[in-house]
Structure formats: C-alpha cells, structure tokens
C-alpha cells in the first residue's frame, strides 16, 4: 500500500509540476500584463529613436554623395515592419486591459496578446543588437565624378589672340600665389568662349605640360540679378552628385557643399557671367588660399564686380584686330564673303563690327550663302545707321550688350521719366544718360570735356561745387569702364566707345541725340545734336527750330568759318554749345538769347578775335576761350555772376582787365588766365605788350572765396611782399612769374610756381607763395643761394632748375646751414646748369640732405663729372629709385670716392636705384657699383660701357635692358650663360 501510495504520489507530483510549468507563464502574462506592455512600449520608443538617428546620419551622408549599405537598408525596413506590427496590436492591448479585475472566459485574450508582445520583444532585442553593430559604417561612397565634363561651344583653334589668352589663364592656374582670377571684358568679346575652351582643354592630355591636376572642374552659369544663391548651389551640387534642397535652407546647402569640396585635394570653380558680387562663403565654396591648389575663375563684364569678389589678378579680354576679325567673319559667312563683288562690302561690314567676336559671328552667319550684292549693301547701311538688319542681330548682339546698360544704376532715368522736361535733379546723378551721351562722340573723348558737358546737362546731380561734380563724373566714367561700356583711348585722359556699343546706345534711344545733320529736319524734338568732325563748311540759314535741344556739338570742323546770323534762335533751350577747333572768326549776336546756356566752349578757335555782347547768358557756368585771339573782353561779361569755370587767355588782350572785374564773379572756382603759347608765337615778339594783370587785380582774385584752382601769369610787381595766406584754400595752382619763353608742362593737380628771368630773391619776395608750393620751376634765374636762404620750402616735392647760373664755391664761414631747406624734396631736375660738377656740390651749395629724394634727372650739364661724391659731405640718397642722365659729355663715373677718405662703398652706400637711364655719355666707361635692385636699364649711345656689373648679369629682378643691337653684341660677359639668361630682357632701341 505504501508502495502504491508513493508511486501514485510521485506521479501526481510530476503531473503537478508539468501542469504548473505550462500554466505558470500564462498566469504570469495575465497577472503582470500591464507592466510588461509598458516596458515594451518604452523599448519600442527607444528603438524608434535609434532608428531615426541612424536614418538621419544616413540621409546626411547621402546628401554628401554617399549611399547606404544594403544591410542598413534591410535593418531600417525590418524596424519599420516591427513598428507596424506593434501599432496593429494597440486595439487588442486596449481591450485586454479592460479585463483586469474580471474573471471571465475571455482571460485567454490577455494570454494571446502577451504572447504576441513577447515575440515583438524578442525581435526588438535582435534588431537593437544588429543596429548597434553598425557603428559608423552606415554608408559607402556613391559619387564617381568625371573630373572634367565636356561643354559644347565654339572652338578658338586658329585664333591667335584667344589662344594667347587661353595660355595666359593656364599659366595663372599654375601660379600658387593666384587663387581667384577675374576675366572681364565687354559683352560679346568672347569671355565665355575663352573659359569654355579652357574647360575642354583640361580634358586633354597635353594640358599636363602646365602641371595642372584638378580633382573636379565645376562650371556654373550665374543667373542674372537678382542672384538666387540656391540656383548657384544647385548647379554645384548637381556637378558633385550632392543632394540639396532647391527650396531649402541656404546655410544647410552651403554646409553640404563645403564639406564635399573639402574632401577634394583641388577643385576649379568657373563662375561664368557674374553681374553682381557673390559671397563664396554663402555658396559654400572654401576660399582658396596660397599656396593655392584650388582655384576660382570669374567672368564678368564688370571689373568692379571682380574686385568685389577679391580677385588676385585680372585679365581683360580685348577685341580682335583687323586680320583676325576678317578670318572669323569668313569662317562664319563662308566663301561667299570672298566673291569679287561682295568682298569689299564684307570687309566694310567686318570693320563696322570693330573686332567684337559676337557681332562678327552673328552677322557673318546671317549673311552666309547670300550672293546678291543688294543684300550686302543693305546690311552695311543698316549697321552704319545703328539699325540691326535682322532679328538675330537684335537678339544675339544688341540685346546682349543692352544687358550691360540695363544693369547700370540710375535714380533719374531720362529715358523713362516725363519729369525730365523740368530737369529734375538728384544727388547721385544719372549714369544711363551719361552713357548715352558718350554715343554723341565718334572717336576719343576727353574725360574733362565729357564731365563738363554732363555737369552742364545736369546728369551729375546736385553738388555744391564743380569739384564735387567732377569727382562724381570720374566715378561714373570708372563705372562705365568697369562695365566695359567705354574703354581707355590711346590719348591721355581720354575714353572711347566701341562702335558696336555706340550703335546699341543709339538703338536704345534714338531720340537721345542725332549725329547726322540730314536727320534733323525729320525730328524737331531732337534733344542733342552732334556734328563732330563732319567736315561741315556751312550751316543752313533757316535752321528748323529745335525747342528741346539741350546740347549742340560742332567741334572739329575747321572749315566752318561762319555761323548764320539768326542760327541760335533755333535752340532756345540750349545748355551746352561746343564750337572748339572750328574756323570761326566771330559769333552772331543771336547767341545772347541762349538764356539757358550753361557751357560755352570755344577752345582752339585760332581765328576768333571778337565776341558779341553776352550779358544775357546769366546762367553760364563754364566759359572756355583757351587758344583764341580775343583782343577784348566781351561786353556784359561782368554780368555772368554764376560763372564757375573761366578759361580766358590774355595773350592778345589789348587792354588791362578793369578794376573790380573779378569782384563781380563771386562764384568762380577755377580761373585759368595763363598765356596759351599757341602754334604761332608772335605774342612773345610784341615789344609793347600790355600788363594785363595789375597788382590790384591779383588782390581781387585773392578775395574770390570759392576759388580752388588758379592758373595765372604775373609780373614782378605782383609778387612784392604781401599777405599770401589766402592761397592755403587753393587745391591746385600754376603761377608763372616773368616772361616764360616756352611752355612748361604742368599737372593741374599740382601746386606749381614757375619763375623765369627773375632775380628778386634777396628780400624774400616769394616767401608767402612758396610756402604753399609743391613744385618749383626756375628758368634763367640767378641767386639760388639767396632764394633758398630767404624762403620756406617745407612743402616742396619737385624742383626743376634750367639754364640758371650758379656759383658752387663754398659758403662763407659762419653761414653754414644745418637744417635741410628742402626736407621733403622727392624729384630734382637739373638742365643746362653749366657750372655743376656733381650733385653733391649742388647739395652742399644749398645745404641739402636729399633725405627723401626718389627721382633725379640731369641733362646737358656740360661740366658734370660725377653724380655723387661718396664718403665726404654726401652719400647716395638712400631712397633714390630713378636716375636719368643725358648729354653730359664729361661724366666719367656715377659715384666717386671722396679723395680724403680711404673708405669703400659700404652696403648703406649701395644704390637702391630701380631704374637707370643713361644717354649720350661718351666718357662713361663703367657701372662698377653693385646695382642689386635694378629693374630697368637703358643705355643709349654709351659705347664705352663694354661690360655690365656682375650684380646685373646675375640679377633676377631685371625686367628691361634697352640699347642698340651693336652695343649689346659687343658686351663682354663674365659667363656666356649670363647673356642668354638676360636675352629676353633686351629691347632694341
């Protein structure tokens, strides 16, 4: 029985254990249901956050050109599926929770939900472990970028100028010091074509000769203003296979681009057609720094834009010469251009294009295959009339250049404002009207004349003084240059307008001005008439009235000798009248009705000797009669109370200027009454020349409180000791004292005094004037020692002495001067000072130290034997940079050792001269001094010099050596290789 009991008991225990083992988890799921579900919920939230972190990292890397690994993608998908399964359980979980305190047969629902939750938890733990095992290895490199992408475009092969420019850019790209390159030029000149060919050349193997290797070359066509930075970023990102949001945050995109470009060892970014400066930081482009492997090239019509983008160097693309223009035209027009009847017309059309590649290409292509002469004649006429002869020329040439015009800022646009009839002014001026005004000139334009006309027309806005208006005019000219709408002319201080640009200006607004007299009858409302250089011999008696004309330009018609008597009645609104360089001898009285006239310019009318009454011209601000033969002041001139600029020569005036004349012109700012030294010099031959400016007149001039510029000739009586402190308000002057026998060049920005045939220095007569002078020119004057001793020269920067007799014997004992009387002298010029033996003697005579001397010019000093005596009273001026010596036939050495000293040239005595020019020095045999700093050496007819100093032979600073071929070939060299090294520097005279 016990045995049976034990067996049954054991069996029951084992069955109980088994039952408990099966039932316990279910009971536990039922009892601990809520806590387990809450734990699972928290873990699912953590997994979701972990998933989002990984997804964010992956998307960021993908935006930088990477792609996610396949197992990462699979993991993200599994997590997503698990989240969906968890979300699908939420209804069952909610139902199960409502059975918490009920005992019913549906308790099995909790068991099922708990079991499902357990499965999810198991999966969750597995996915979590997998996700943590990824670490940072989420992605792999995706981008495989072609270093250079071919860009279709016109080849420049065979175009020598363009090829030369291309090679220049390639050399700049090689230069480690150059980071950002600005390529600029007028619209249609070939900037885009140039960099396009550069891009494509970088594809070829032969570019390796330039030692260039960019990881990636990026081309961006910059949109017209206002510039959308996102557009630029999108183009860069697309090239780099980056994913950026076109509508997204600019800074976020910039960060992605920056990180990606930083991974490249080097890159080349080409920003084509930039109209406004772009901040590379805003785009995300790392700023290249020297030594630069990465580079940026900017093409623009505006040099100012290039400078704003902090370029390291600029390269202007110029128009083609005549031969290249013709070759390009034939290439586009085809063989038809060389047909016998057509070729002369084709060449004329090419000339009208004036070397502009875009115009040549478009017009040449438009004429391709056209064999009728009539078509070519019509095209030529259209071009000469500034009318595009077909739609292609309008859209592809004129509209392209007009973009530059449209980009000009203008607060007061005459083209579109009806208020212009009231001549509404604004402070900053009207740059567009200034540009259009340039189209009135067929050739080079004097910047000074141009600004005066702008000022008289009111284009420069409201300014208190002419100088302020002039400064604004210079700013506008620079802006037009930077925009390639005007360019430097060959003449000094002149600009010119490209022929095609002028055509476009006329096309933009053909009512702005007319340049053909035959068209005037067709438009009485013409605003400006320009008949410059038209070889006009006469003007019509009955000229049609032009009530709106404000400018009339008739200059440079030397055959025009007479103006019809009633001619000016046709121009009641005239503001600018220019009759310069005409053959007129007088003006008709009708000029006196021009009450609105602001500028009357009669310069270089050599036969003009008389003017009618002009008292009604009370608005006149500029009156220029330079190089005329006026024998008397015009009647009523004292009524011109608004006059600001007066250029009135006194050469032929037959009577002195009356007392009180200048007091009636209180607004005068610029007064020029210097003798003109015209092409005939009979004015100097007149024995009974009248003294035109008496001392009282000079006193009146000193009371002109608006005067800032004075150019005048005085006699000795006007420089008697008097108060000249008023001269401190003059910003520039040129005062001639005495009879100047020849024209002395002067810069209108200088404060210059020229003295001729005068020795009134003993009592300090010039002290007051010289205190304010920066330049002093002495011609045939004596008593230099007295002049220096009795005057203040603190401000003097330039001293020219010509044909002056000097005694170079030592000064008397007790008169030794310790303070340098010319402490700021920078330029010294000595011409025909015959007693001069050395510059050291000259300095010792006047007590000069030459502490600031930079330029030294000596010519025709027949007794000069050396420049400086080293080791005694003098040494070589330490700041001396330029030395010119000519026609000094006794000069044997440049530097001579002082006889009383045994010292040699120490380093402090070695000349720091950069430019050395020597001419006609037959006794100079050697340049033994060590010229370590020489950059330019000119030796003309100095045949005794047979060897260059070793310092020049081995110099890496020398840029130019000029002389005759015979001299160069006879030179002796320390090493034959030195000659070959300097061969490229030699320029034959």
């Amino acid at each position: 029985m016990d045995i049976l009991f034990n067996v049954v008991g054991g069996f029951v225990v084992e069955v109980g254990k088994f039952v408990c083992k099966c039932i316990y988890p279910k009971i536990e799921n039922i009892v601990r249901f809520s806590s387990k579900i809450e734990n699972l919920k928290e873990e699912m939230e953590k997994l979701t956050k972990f998933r989002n972190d990984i997804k964010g990292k992956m998307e960021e890397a993908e935006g930088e050109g990477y792609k996610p690994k396949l197992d990462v993608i699979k993991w993200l998908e599994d997590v997503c599926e698990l989240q969906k399964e968890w979300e699908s359980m939420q209804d069952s979980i909610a139902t199960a929770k409502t059975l918490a305190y009920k005992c019913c047969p549906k308790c099995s629902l909790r068991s099922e939900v708990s079991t499902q939750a357990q499965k999810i938890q198991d999966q969750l733990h597995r996915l979590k472990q997998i996700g943590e095992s990824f670490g940072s290895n989420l992605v792999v490199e995706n981008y495989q970028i072609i270093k250079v992408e071919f860009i279709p475009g016109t080849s420049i092969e065979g175009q020598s100028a363009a090829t030369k420019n291309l090679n220049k850019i390639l050399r700049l790209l090689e230069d480690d010091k150059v980071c950002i390159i600005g390529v600029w030029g007028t619209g249609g000149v070939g900037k885009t074509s140039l960099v396009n060919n550069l891009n494509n050349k970088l594809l070829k193997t032969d570019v390796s000769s330039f030692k260039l290797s960019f990881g990636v070359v990026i081309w961006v066509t910059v949109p017209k203003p206002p510039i959308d930075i996102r557009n630029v970023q999108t183009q860069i990102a697309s090239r780099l296979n980056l994913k950026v949001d076109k509508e997204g945050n600019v800074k976020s995109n910039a960060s992605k681009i920056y990180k990606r470009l930083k991974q490249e060892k080097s890159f080349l970014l080409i920003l084509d057609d930039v109209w406004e400066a772009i901040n590379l930081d805003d785009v995300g482009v790392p700023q290249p720094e020297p030594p630069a492997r990465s580079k940026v090239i900017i093409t623009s019509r505006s040099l100012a834009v290039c400078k704003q983008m902090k370029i390291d160097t600029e390269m202007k693309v110029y128009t083609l010469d005549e031969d290249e223009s013709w070759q390009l035209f034939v290439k586009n027009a085809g063989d038809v251009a060389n047909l016998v009847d057509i070729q002369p017309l084709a060449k004329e059309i090419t000339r009208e294009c004036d070397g502009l590649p875009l115009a040549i290409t478009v017009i040449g292509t438009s004429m391709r295959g056209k064999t009728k002469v009539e078509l070519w004649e019509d095209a030529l006429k259209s071009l000469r009339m500034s009318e595009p002869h077909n739609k292609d020329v309008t859209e592809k040439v004129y509209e392209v250049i007009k973009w530059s015009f449209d980009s000009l800022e203008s607060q007061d646009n005459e083209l579109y404002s009806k208020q212009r009839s009231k001549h509404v002014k604004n402070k900053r001026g009207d740059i567009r009207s200034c540009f259009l005004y340039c189209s009135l000139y067929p050739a080079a334009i004097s910047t000074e004349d141009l600004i005066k006309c702008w000022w008289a027309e009111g284009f420069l806005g409201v300014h208190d003084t002419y100088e302020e208006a002039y400064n604004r005019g210079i700013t506008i000219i620079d802006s037009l240059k930077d925009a390639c709408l005007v360019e430097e002319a060959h003449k000094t201080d002149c600009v010119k307008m490209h022929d095609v640009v002028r055509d476009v200006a006329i096309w933009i607004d053909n009512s702005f001005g007319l340049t053909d007299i035959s068209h005037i009858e067709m438009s009485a409302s013409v605003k400006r008439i320009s008949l410059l250089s038209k070889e006009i011999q006469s003007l019509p008696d009955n000229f049609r009235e032009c009530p709106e004309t404000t400018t009339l330009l008739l200059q440079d018609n030397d055959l025009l000798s007479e103006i019809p008597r009633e001619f000016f009645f046709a121009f009641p609104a005239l503001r600018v009248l220019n009759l310069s360089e005409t053959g007129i001898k007088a003006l008709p009285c009708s000029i006196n009705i021009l009450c609105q006239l602001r500028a009357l310019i009669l310069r270089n009318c050599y036969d003009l000797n008389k003017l009618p009454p002009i008292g009604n011209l009370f608005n006149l601000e500029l009156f220029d009669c330079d190089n005329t033969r006026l024998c008397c002041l015009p009647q009523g001139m004292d009524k011109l109370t608004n006059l600001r600029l007066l250029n009135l020569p006194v050469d032929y005036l037959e009577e002195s200027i009356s007392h009180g004349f200048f007091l009636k012109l209180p607004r005068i700012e610029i007064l020029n009454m210097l003798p003109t030294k015209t092409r005939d010099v009979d004015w100097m031959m007149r024995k009974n020349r009248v003294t035109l400016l008496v001392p009282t007149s000079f006193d009146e001039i000193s009371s002109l409180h608006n005067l800032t510029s004075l150019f005048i000739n005085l006699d000795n009586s006007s420089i008697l000791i008097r108060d000249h402190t008023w001269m401190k308000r003059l910003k520039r002057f040129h005062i001639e004292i005495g009879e100047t026998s020849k024209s002395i060049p002067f810069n209108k920005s200088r404060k210059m005094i020229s003295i001729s045939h005068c020795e009134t220095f003993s009592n300090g007569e010039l002290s007051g004037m010289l205190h304010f002078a920066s330049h002093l020119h002495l011609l045939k004057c004596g008593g230099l020692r007295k002049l220096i001793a009795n005057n203040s020269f603190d401000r003097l920067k330039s001293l020219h002495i010509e044909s002056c007799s000097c005694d170079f014997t030592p000064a008397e004992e007790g008169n030794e001067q310790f303070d340098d009387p010319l402490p700021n002298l920078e330029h010294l010029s000595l011409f025909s000072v015959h007693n001069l033996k050395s510059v050291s003697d000259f300095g010792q005579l006047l007590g000069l130290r030459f502490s600031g001397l930079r330029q030294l010019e000596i010519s025709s000093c027949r007794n000069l034997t050396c420049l400086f005596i080293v080791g005694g009273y003098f040494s070589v001026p330490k700041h001396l940079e330029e030395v010119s010596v000519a026609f000094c036939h006794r000069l044997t050495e440049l530097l001579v050792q002082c006889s009383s000293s045994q010292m040699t040239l120490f380093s402090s005595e070695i000349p720091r001269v950069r430019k050395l020019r020597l001419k006609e020095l037959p006794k100079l045999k050697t340049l033994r001094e060590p010229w370590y700093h020489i950059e330019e050496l000119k030796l003309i007819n100095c045949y005794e010099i047979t060897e260059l100093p070793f310092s020049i032979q081995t110099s890496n600073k020398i840029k130019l050596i000029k002389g005759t071929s015979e001299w160069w070939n006879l030179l002796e060299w320390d090493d034959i290789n030195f000659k070959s090294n300097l061969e490229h520097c030699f320029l034959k005279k």
Side-chain angles (χ1 to χ4, degrees):
M1 191 67 175
D2 290 335
I3 295 172
L4 180 62
F5 180 81
N6 289 335
V7 170
V8 172
F11 175 78
V12 170
V13 170
E14 291 299 322
V15 170
K17 287 181 179 180
F18 176 79
V19 171
C20 289
K21 187 176 181 181
C22 294
I23 296 174
Y24 179 77
K26 294 183 178 181
I27 295 173
E28 185 182 29
N29 285 341
I30 294 170
V31 174
R32 300 182 60 190
F33 177 82
S34 294
S35 61
K36 290 187 70 175
I37 291 298
E38 287 300 316
N39 289 339
L40 182 56
K41 181 181 178 182
E42 291 178 5
E43 289 188 57
M44 281 300 300
E45 289 174 351
K46 290 179 181 179
L47 180 63
T48 300
K49 186 175 183 300
F50 184 36
R51 187 279 312 267
N52 291 339
D53 288 343
I54 289 180
K55 186 177 180 180
K57 292 177 181 178
M58 186 189 72
E59 288 177 346
E60 182 179 358
E62 191 176 13
E64 295 175 1
Y66 293 82
K67 66 178 181 180
K69 290 182 175 180
L70 293 177
D71 52 352
V72 176
I73 296 174
K74 178 65 169 61
W75 181 84
L76 289 171
E77 292 173 350
D78 290 345
V79 172
C80 186
E81 287 298 320
L82 187 63
Q83 285 176 319
K84 288 179 181 179
E85 190 176 345
W86 168 249
E87 288 170 2
S88 68
M89 287 179 58
Q90 298 307 306
D91 291 339
S92 299
I93 291 173
T95 302
K97 283 184 177 181
T98 61
L99 305 176
Y101 301 105
K102 297 180 181 179
C103 183
C104 69
K106 291 186 179 179
C107 286
S108 61
L109 177 62
R110 280 196 177 191
S111 178
E112 291 175 7
V113 171
S114 295
T115 301
Q116 192 175 1
Q118 184 63 47
K119 290 179 181 178
I120 289 177
Q121 190 170 34
D122 293 340
Q123 269 188 286
L124 186 150
H125 288 157
R126 181 180 65 83
L127 290 173
K128 184 180 178 183
Q129 289 176 348
I130 294 172
E132 289 174 344
S133 70
F134 290 148
S136 59
N137 298 319
L138 303 174
V139 293
V140 293
E141 289 187 354
N142 178 41
Y143 52 84
Q144 292 182 353
I145 300 175
I146 301 173
K147 288 186 177 183
V148 185
E149 288 184 339
F150 178 80
I151 299 176
T154 305
S155 172
I156 60 173
E157 188 175 352
Q159 299 179 31
S160 59
T163 302
K164 184 178 179 181
N165 286 334
L166 177 59
N167 290 331
K168 182 177 179 180
I169 295 182
L170 288 168
R171 286 192 294 271
L172 290 173
L173 291 177
E174 271 191 314
D175 191 339
D176 289 343
K177 297 177 182 178
V178 176
C179 303
I180 305 178
I181 304 166
V183 178
W184 68 290
T186 189
V189 79
K191 304 180 296 295
T192 297
S193 177
L194 178 63
V195 292
N196 189 332
N197 278 264
L198 168 70
N199 178 90
N200 294 342
K201 187 173 181 66
L202 293 173
L203 275 168
K204 301 178 181 179
T205 55
D206 61 351
V207 80
S208 60
S209 62
F210 287 91
K211 302 176 184 177
L212 294 175
S213 178
F214 295 107
V216 61
V217 178
I218 306 166
W219 179 289
V220 175
T221 301
V222 180
K224 297 289 190 298
I227 295 174
D228 183 0
I229 293 296
R230 289 186 187 87
N231 182 296
V232 177
Q233 290 176 328
T234 300
Q235 291 185 64
I236 295 174
S238 175
R239 180 72 179 87
L240 297 173
N241 287 340
L242 283 177
K243 184 179 180 182
V244 295
D245 189 350
K246 295 181 181 179
E247 305 297 328
N249 186 283
V250 170
K251 289 187 177 180
S252 175
N253 291 345
S255 178
K256 292 178 180 179
I257 292 171
Y258 183 87
K259 290 179 181 177
R260 172 65 184 84
L261 287 176
K262 272 294 187 181
Q263 293 169 359
E264 289 291 345
K265 292 182 179 179
S266 65
F267 64 85
L268 171 61
L269 173 64
I270 300 173
L271 296 172
D272 185 42
D273 202 19
V274 181
W275 288 79
E276 290 180 355
I278 301 172
N279 189 327
L280 295 179
D281 292 330
D282 292 344
V283 177
V285 177
Q287 294 276 2
E289 296 178 353
R293 298 186 64 187
S294 295
K295 311 276 184 175
V296 177
I297 294 177
I298 300 159
T299 75
S300 178
R301 300 186 190 187
S302 171
L303 177 60
V305 168
C306 294
K307 289 179 178 178
Q308 289 168 21
M309 293 190 66
K310 301 177 182 178
I311 59 172
D312 297 297
T313 187
E314 51 102 349
M315 191 184 91
K316 185 174 183 180
V317 181
Y318 293 93
T319 52
L320 305 178
D321 62 27
E322 190 171 341
D323 289 340
E324 286 193 320
S325 297
W326 174 244
Q327 291 172 15
L328 184 61
F329 186 86
V330 172
K331 179 180 178 182
N332 287 278
D335 293 338
V336 66
N338 281 315
L339 295 179
V340 175
D341 294 334
I342 289 177
Q343 189 184 71
L345 296 168
K347 288 194 172 183
E348 283 299 316
I349 288 174
T350 305
R351 291 189 189 99
E352 288 293 322
C353 295
D354 201 18
L356 191 67
L358 179 65
I360 294 168
T361 300
V362 172
I363 294 172
T365 303
S366 72
M367 301 305 294
R368 192 176 186 90
K370 294 183 179 181
T371 57
K372 291 184 178 180
V373 173
E374 294 83 356
L375 296 175
W376 288 82
E377 289 176 341
D378 184 65
L380 178 58
K381 183 177 180 181
S382 295
L383 286 171
R384 286 176 171 169
M385 295 177 65
S386 305
E387 295 176 357
H389 68 281
N390 64 35
K391 187 177 179 181
D392 276 351
V393 176
T394 301
E395 293 179 352
K396 297 179 181 179
V397 180
Y398 281 43
E399 291 288 355
V400 167
I401 297 173
K402 186 177 181 292
W403 260 107
S404 297
F405 171 80
D406 292 337
S407 70
L408 295 174
E409 295 179 1
S410 180
Q411 295 174 322
D412 179 22
N413 192 338
E414 183 182 53
L415 296 177
Y416 311 112
S417 175
K418 295 181 180 179
Q419 295 179 345
R420 209 40 203 166
S421 59
K422 299 179 181 179
H423 202 71
V424 177
K425 296 181 182 180
N426 51 72
K427 191 171 184 180
R428 298 304 292 164
D430 184 356
I431 190 172
R432 291 187 179 180
S433 290
C434 290
F435 162 71
L436 294 174
Y437 202 93
C438 294
S439 68
L440 300 175
Y441 295 81
I445 319 165
S446 163
T447 55
E448 187 172 355
D449 288 354
L450 192 58
I451 291 172
K452 286 175 181 177
C453 292
W454 288 347
W455 175 54
E457 279 274 13
F459 295 158
L460 299 180
V462 177
H463 299 280
D464 293 333
T465 65
Y466 172 74
E467 183 166 1
E468 290 178 354
Y470 182 84
N471 292 342
R472 179 59 186 161
I474 291 295
T475 300
I476 287 177
I477 287 175
D478 274 4
S479 296
L480 293 175
K481 285 180 185 176
D482 289 348
C484 292
L485 291 173
V486 299
E487 55 193 64
E488 288 283 354
H490 294 302
K491 296 181 180 179
T492 306
D493 296 326
C494 289
V495 295
K496 65 178 181 178
M497 181 176 271
H498 189 280
D499 287 350
V500 178
V501 175
R502 185 184 299 105
D503 290 343
V504 173
I506 296 170
W507 170 74
I508 288 172
D509 183 11
N510 56 17
S511 69
F512 188 89
L514 289 179
T515 58
D516 191 332
I517 193 169
S518 63
H519 293 174
I520 294 174
E521 293 298 317
M522 297 186 290
S523 178
S525 62
V526 62
K527 295 175 183 176
R528 289 157 199 92
I529 299 174
S530 174
L531 302 175
L532 281 79
S533 308
K534 295 290 185 179
E535 299 183 359
I536 296 173
Q537 298 185 33
S538 62
L539 295 168
D541 291 330
N542 298 318
F543 206 88
R544 180 174 180 174
E545 186 172 346
C546 300
E548 297 184 25
T549 301
T550 57
T551 287
L552 177 59
L553 305 179
L554 288 165
Q555 63 262 40
D556 196 23
N557 287 294
D558 55 356
L559 297 178
L560 180 63
S561 60
E562 186 177 356
I563 306 295
R565 187 165 58 179
E566 298 182 354
F567 179 76
F568 293 115
F569 285 115
F571 305 99
L574 207 61
R575 300 173 67 88
V576 177
L577 174 60
N578 194 333
L579 288 161
S580 298
E581 299 184 53
T582 58
I584 59 172
K585 298 177 181 179
L587 287 179
C589 292
S590 60
I591 194 173
N592 206 32
I593 64 100
L594 302 179
C595 299
Q596 300 300 318
L597 197 65
R598 300 294 198 273
L600 177 58
I601 307 171
L602 304 168
R603 190 171 55 253
N604 298 333
C605 293
Y606 302 111
D607 296 326
L608 182 65
N609 54 38
K610 189 176 181 181
L611 290 176
I614 57 174
N616 285 345
L617 307 183
F618 44 80
N619 281 312
L620 197 65
E621 296 180 311
L622 185 156
F623 187 26
D624 188 351
C625 299
D626 192 25
N627 270 340
T628 62
R629 299 190 181 194
L630 291 181
C631 58
C632 61
L633 297 181
Q635 183 181 338
M637 189 171 172
D638 54 352
K639 296 180 181 179
L640 307 182
T641 55
N642 284 308
L643 208 58
R644 295 192 182 192
L645 281 73
L646 177 58
N647 196 345
L648 182 67
V650 296
D651 308 48
Y652 294 93
L653 292 184
E654 296 175 352
E655 57 184 22
S656 297
I657 295 175
S658 62
H659 177 66
F661 172 77
F662 292 105
L663 298 178
K664 296 176 182 179
L665 306 175
R667 299 190 69 188
I668 285 287
E669 298 177 33
I670 301 175
L671 178 61
N672 185 356
M673 301 185 73
L674 281 176
T676 56
K677 289 96 177 172
T678 53
R679 61 186 69 174
D680 59 4
V681 293
D682 61 342
W683 67 276
M684 278 299 298
M685 309 307 293
R686 286 186 289 167
K687 296 181 179 179
N688 299 319
R689 188 177 177 217
V690 179
T691 301
L692 301 169
L693 277 178
V694 294
T696 54
S697 297
F698 193 57
D699 289 338
E700 288 177 15
I701 290 173
S702 69
S703 67
L704 298 175
H705 296 292
N706 292 313
L707 190 68
T708 59
S709 305
L710 176 63
F711 312 102
I712 201 166
N713 179 275
L714 302 174
D715 64 1
N716 294 344
S717 63
S718 298
I719 60 169
L720 295 175
I721 301 174
R722 61 177 71 236
D723 183 10
H724 293 295
T725 55
W726 65 274
M727 290 180 64
K728 65 183 179 183
R729 67 173 179 263
L730 295 179
K731 295 184 177 180
R732 60 200 64 83
F733 59 77
H734 184 183
I735 298 175
E736 291 184 353
I737 299 170
E739 293 284 350
T740 307
S741 62
K742 69 180 220 177
S743 179
I744 300 170
F746 67 94
N747 186 316
K748 289 187 178 179
S749 66
R750 295 175 181 170
K751 296 180 178 181
M752 182 171 184
I753 294 178
S754 303
I755 306 172
S756 176
H757 300 81
C758 186
E759 296 189 18
T760 57
F761 304 141
S762 57
N763 297 314
E765 293 89 347
L766 287 172
S767 295
M769 284 188 182
L770 287 173
H771 177 70
F772 302 102
S774 61
H775 293 67
L776 178 60
H777 191 293
L778 301 175
L779 173 64
K780 295 185 178 179
C781 293
L784 280 182
R785 190 176 287 169
K786 290 181 180 179
L787 174 65
I788 298 296
N790 291 289
N791 291 285
S792 173
F793 288 88
D794 287 350
R795 301 186 186 185
L796 203 66
K797 293 184 178 180
S798 176
L799 175 61
H800 176 89
I801 299 176
E802 181 175 346
S803 300
C804 293
S805 59
C806 302
D807 180 9
F808 291 98
T809 57
E812 294 180 12
E813 229 176 283
N815 289 339
E816 187 175 356
Q817 193 169 342
F818 293 96
D819 295 331
D820 189 346
L822 302 177
N824 297 307
L825 188 67
E826 296 178 2
H827 177 241
L828 175 63
S829 175
L830 301 172
F831 183 83
S832 293
V833 182
H834 296 312
N835 293 334
L836 181 69
K837 293 185 178 181
S838 74
V839 180
S840 297
D841 289 344
F842 177 81
Q844 188 171 6
L845 167 70
L846 302 178
L848 306 180
R849 301 290 188 274
F850 298 132
S851 56
L853 191 67
R854 296 181 181 276
Q855 293 177 299
L856 176 63
E857 293 183 61
I858 302 179
S859 180
S860 302
C861 295
R862 60 191 179 205
N863 289 310
L864 187 77
T865 57
C866 72
L867 292 186
F868 295 101
I869 301 174
V870 179
Y873 179 78
F874 262 92
S875 61
V876 181
K878 62 181 179 180
H879 296 297
L880 190 61
E881 296 180 351
E882 298 184 28
V883 174
S884 298
V885 186
F887 302 103
C888 296
H889 295 161
R890 294 187 180 181
L891 183 76
T892 57
E893 292 189 78
L894 298 183
L895 305 184
V896 173
Q897 195 72 41
C898 179
S899 59
S900 62
S901 173
Q902 299 302 316
M903 62 182 294
T904 57
L905 289 177
F906 292 105
S907 59
S908 61
E909 302 290 352
I910 293 174
R912 300 186 65 83
V913 175
R914 294 186 300 107
K915 296 181 179 181
L916 180 62
R917 306 179 185 96
L918 306 175
K919 182 177 181 180
E920 297 288 350
L921 306 176
K923 292 191 177 182
L924 182 64
K925 296 184 178 181
T926 180
L927 299 175
R928 63 178 181 177
E929 296 75 26
W931 305 90
Y932 292 130
H933 305 278
I934 283 288
E935 297 175 8
E936 180 181 309
L937 175 64
K938 293 185 180 180
L939 290 170
I940 310 299
N941 295 345
C942 300
Y943 290 107
E944 290 298 311
I945 298 177
T946 58
E947 185 178 4
L948 296 179
F950 184 76
S951 57
I952 294 180
Q953 292 188 45
T954 59
S955 173
N956 57 4
K957 293 185 177 181
I958 193 81
K959 298 176 182 177
L960 173 67
I961 301 175
K962 188 173 183 180
T964 63
S965 298
E966 294 82 1
W967 167 79
W968 176 258
N969 293 329
L970 292 173
L971 278 177
E972 299 173 4
W973 300 86
D974 294 333
D975 187 326
I976 192 62
N977 292 324
F978 294 161
K979 181 178 181 180
S980 59
N981 291 338
L982 293 178
E983 199 83 48
H984 71 283
C985 300
F986 177 67
L987 178 65
K988 184 174 70 172
K989 173 184 173 295

